[in-house]
Amino acid sequence: MNVQLREVCVHRINVSAKTTWRLIQVIDQDGISGWGEVTLNAPEAALSQRAATLLELSARLLNAPGNSDCASAMLDDWPVGSALFCGLDQALWDLRARLEAQSLASLLAREVLDASTTPPSAVSMYANIN
């Protein structure tokens, strides 16, 4: 799959006086989007500063979603960089599923079954249910 990303955006959604959601959107050259969620209560400046590196990091992760090796510096930047990486990883998996015209659940199941005959005890994905 030869995918080029056009843009990575961090969206802020004020849900209530106490709740703000942040979503990462990756957009490919054809305008198809993948979405990820970032759970983090951090100052806007801290997010914006690190978000600028997301497009470059996305290019490295695009063909290897879930591969945290190329993002070690971002993961070491706890908690902002780590939260952004998790949201970015989600968005790239979502984009890949959309490009392959299947559900994210189907894609993850296929990846797990292709990788091993025994399903792993953990999946490299972050989720938050509030």
Side-chain angles (χ1 to χ4, degrees):
M1 181 180 335
N2 185 18
V3 179
Q4 296 290 320
L5 291 181
R6 182 176 73 200
E7 191 174 0
V8 176
C9 307
V10 179
H11 299 277
R12 177 189 171 123
I13 302 167
N14 295 318
V15 178
S16 71
K18 293 183 179 182
T19 304
T20 300
W21 291 346
R22 290 192 174 85
L23 301 174
I24 292 181
Q25 177 187 22
V26 294
I27 307 167
D28 79 353
Q29 73 273 10
D30 297 322
I32 298 171
S33 294
W35 292 87
E37 184 262 343
V38 179
T39 298
L40 182 67
N41 188 11
E44 213 56 47
L47 285 171
S48 297
Q49 178 184 16
R50 288 162 183 89
T53 64
L54 293 180
L55 187 58
E56 178 187 338
L57 179 59
S58 297
R60 289 183 276 162
L61 285 171
L62 194 56
N63 293 313
N67 179 359
S68 60
D69 293 343
C70 64
S72 60
M74 195 170 200
L75 291 171
D76 290 342
D77 181 16
W78 180 262
V80 177
S82 299
L84 284 170
F85 172 78
C86 290
L88 178 62
D89 191 46
Q90 289 173 45
L92 291 171
W93 275 106
D94 183 42
L95 176 64
R96 184 171 162 199
R98 291 171 191 265
L99 292 171
E100 294 183 18
Q102 61 180 311
S103 71
L104 181 55
S106 296
L107 175 63
L108 289 173
R110 187 187 79 210
E111 290 294 317
V112 167
L113 294 176
D114 286 349
S116 158
T117 55
T118 305
S121 59
V123 174
S124 178
M125 171 133 323
Y126 165 87
N128 178 22
I129 303 170
N130 286 326

